[in-house]
Amino acid sequence: MRSNLRRTGTPHEAEGWLAAVDGPEHGPWHDHGPVPEPGARRRPGDGPAQAAAAFIRQHHAEEHLGDPARRIAEAEAEIAATGTYTHTPQELAHGARVAWRNANRCIGRLYWRSLRVRDLRHLTTPDAIAAACADHLREAAPGGRIRPLITVFAPDRPGRPGPRIWNEQLIRYAGHARRDGLVVGDPSAVGLTEYARRLGWQGGAGTPFDVLPLVVQEAPHLRPRLFRLPEDAVLEVPLEHPEFPWWAGLGLRWHAVPALANMCLEIGGICYGAAPFNGWYMGTEIGARNLADTDRYNLLPHLAHRLGLDTSSDRSLWKDRALVELNRSVLHSFDRAGVTITDHHTESVRFLTHLEREESRGRTVGADWSWIVPPLSGSTTPVFHRTYDDVQHTPAYVHHPEAHARARGEDAFPARHRAPWRNLV
């Protein structure tokens, strides 16, 4: 059987189930005060020492490391001297994994302990960060076997904000806006595509699947820089259908690694603003959202026409039928290529297993029902038939408002008037 697996330089946008985590629209704990207790809500007035102590207690308790008093004293002394403190490699790894465990919009949290952590906090320059991001993509998908992975770059420190990656994900397809108002590619990426052009990108081949370059910024006062992802770093799956031979001729494809790149990893009061991380896809995130949403690739009308469906009325359920076939195509193609992917029925059962495990350990699991329930056949999955508490815990992966702006290609801090990231220091 021929392989559908190929590595190319043309990827897409993705929401992957790990990438589908999001956080509250607030600023870093530096600005608003940290959470005072492990897993508890933050309170106004709490400072970095309290946030550090809370996290260290949590780490020591969960990993059975004994009395945390000495480590707390070390952190407090460092904060008093420098305004911040440095996580040990063990603390960083634990914090990154627990942040995944606390991701209320992620259905795949059963695997949180399997997250591999690349500690690259010594890297600050755009060249080094871009190269490490390419290595991340290679390491995350050896032979198509996707592994949960995070790469952590330098954190924000007093007087020295850390680097930022503008792209929402390491791999995104460009959105080429035409003069007639139509978009070739991903409409959600039009802003960043135009910004990349202003920075010197030539725009690729102008196809629906041109990979955007990485936009990396070392500091707020420095101009962002562009970096093309090497072809061997982008794993891509052409889409076929198990029954319709003509499907392959549509030229559809999707990339294999959903690596979110612009969320802040917040651990014990420290903000790691550049910490790309990935899991593997749940098929509906490609087939029911990225390729089907009307403000994305909007493929359902075209597919319905090719399938010979009656589109004269919504009562024919042509959208539903086309959506099912599109999702069948995604799962079939990834399976045939030998690339890790999961389906929404399997993952829903596994999420309830995660809930049971966490509750048996005395930990409350926060979850956002609107994100946990799959966007296809929701009521046929067990996660649909119950409610969840959307309580926020820390450590956490958080989307700050300016990160959303950068992903839209909006320079929140013009060159002549740049300020530090959210005035962190």
Side-chain angles (χ1 to χ4, degrees):
M1 178 180 295
R2 68 182 178 85
S3 174
N4 274 7
L5 183 62
R6 64 177 177 173
R7 289 182 183 272
T8 75
T10 52
H12 297 241
E13 189 298 29
E15 289 179 24
W17 50 260
L18 175 56
V21 297
D22 203 346
E25 295 289 341
H26 58 66
W29 302 141
H30 301 69
D31 287 339
H32 300 277
V35 175
E37 299 176 19
R41 292 181 183 273
R42 56 191 174 84
R43 297 179 304 194
D46 292 317
Q50 289 86 346
F55 168 68
I56 292 168
R57 290 190 189 99
Q58 179 187 33
H59 179 218
H60 279 243
E62 291 194 13
E63 298 300 316
H64 308 289
L65 301 178
D67 187 354
R70 180 175 179 179
R71 175 58 185 141
I72 291 174
E74 291 176 352
E76 289 177 341
E78 188 176 357
I79 291 170
T82 68
T84 187
Y85 69 108
T86 303
H87 290 128
T88 67
Q90 295 76 20
E91 289 170 347
L92 180 69
H94 180 75
R97 291 170 183 145
V98 173
W100 181 8
R101 188 180 79 196
N102 290 337
N104 287 11
R105 294 182 173 182
C106 176
I107 196 173
R109 286 177 272 169
L110 178 63
Y111 322 101
W112 66 274
R113 282 193 176 277
S114 69
L115 181 66
R116 295 175 60 247
V117 180
R118 300 173 71 220
D119 183 356
L120 299 183
R121 287 176 286 176
H122 61 286
L123 298 184
T124 59
T125 65
D127 300 79
I129 290 171
C133 286
D135 287 339
H136 177 114
L137 292 170
R138 297 184 186 103
E139 292 185 25
R145 186 172 180 269
I146 312 300
R147 301 182 292 186
L149 181 66
I150 184 170
T151 299
V152 184
F153 298 112
D156 290 337
R157 303 182 69 85
R160 191 174 60 195
R164 295 294 190 269
I165 300 170
W166 283 47
N167 310 62
E168 184 179 2
Q169 298 184 27
L170 294 182
I171 303 174
R172 275 186 73 99
Y173 290 114
H176 303 290
R178 305 193 322 190
R179 291 182 179 180
D180 59 6
L182 299 179
V183 175
V184 176
D186 190 345
S188 72
V190 167
L192 191 60
T193 299
E194 294 179 348
Y195 188 81
R197 286 180 181 274
R198 293 198 298 272
L199 290 178
W201 187 50
Q202 298 302 309
T207 75
F209 303 112
D210 292 329
V211 173
L212 278 170
L214 292 179
V215 181
V216 184
Q217 190 172 15
E218 182 174 356
H221 65 284
L222 298 176
R223 181 181 177 86
R225 294 180 57 194
L226 296 181
F227 298 89
R228 176 182 173 273
L229 284 170
E231 292 187 2
D232 71 334
V234 180
L235 181 62
E236 196 170 39
V237 179
L239 300 187
E240 301 179 354
H241 193 281
E243 296 178 27
F244 308 121
W246 54 264
W247 198 283
L250 297 174
L252 303 176
R253 54 185 181 267
W254 207 257
H255 66 94
V257 182
L260 240 177
N262 70 340
M263 295 188 78
C264 176
L265 168 60
E266 292 184 355
I267 304 174
I270 303 298
C271 176
Y272 297 93
F277 61 96
N278 73 273
W280 52 79
Y281 269 116
M282 188 165 72
T284 53
E285 291 164 330
I286 301 171
R289 299 301 309 277
N290 298 332
L291 292 175
D293 280 357
T294 56
D295 60 348
R296 300 294 300 288
Y297 278 79
N298 192 27
L299 289 178
L300 297 187
H302 180 72
L303 294 178
H305 172 72
R306 294 297 303 269
L307 291 165
L309 303 179
D310 176 13
T311 61
S312 63
S313 170
D314 287 345
R315 291 178 68 85
S316 70
L317 301 185
W318 65 268
K319 294 178 183 178
D320 309 71
R321 296 170 66 187
L323 191 63
V324 168
E325 298 306 331
L326 180 53
N327 280 270
R328 289 183 66 199
S329 167
V330 170
L331 293 174
H332 166 78
S333 300
F334 271 67
D335 287 345
R336 192 176 184 201
V339 176
T340 306
I341 197 168
T342 189
D343 66 88
H344 51 295
H345 296 287
T346 299
E347 214 56 49
S348 295
V349 172
R350 289 175 177 171
F351 180 70
L352 295 187
T353 299
H354 170 69
L355 286 182
E356 293 172 0
R357 287 186 182 180
E358 291 302 301
E359 290 170 354
S360 72
R361 291 169 172 78
R363 294 195 286 255
T364 302
V365 177
D368 184 336
W369 188 96
S370 66
W371 281 68
I372 295 300
V373 174
L376 176 68
S377 305
S379 64
T380 67
T381 64
V383 294
F384 177 91
H385 301 280
R386 57 163 294 165
T387 59
Y388 307 93
D389 185 359
D390 194 16
V391 61
Q392 305 291 331
H393 298 302
T394 60
Y397 295 105
V398 177
H399 253 141
H400 297 311
E402 69 273 18
H404 287 300
R406 284 192 291 268
R408 294 191 298 267
E410 300 171 5
D411 191 346
F413 307 117
R416 289 178 298 174
H417 303 288
R418 291 183 194 258
W421 314 123
R422 290 187 57 79
N423 297 313
L424 286 177
V425 293

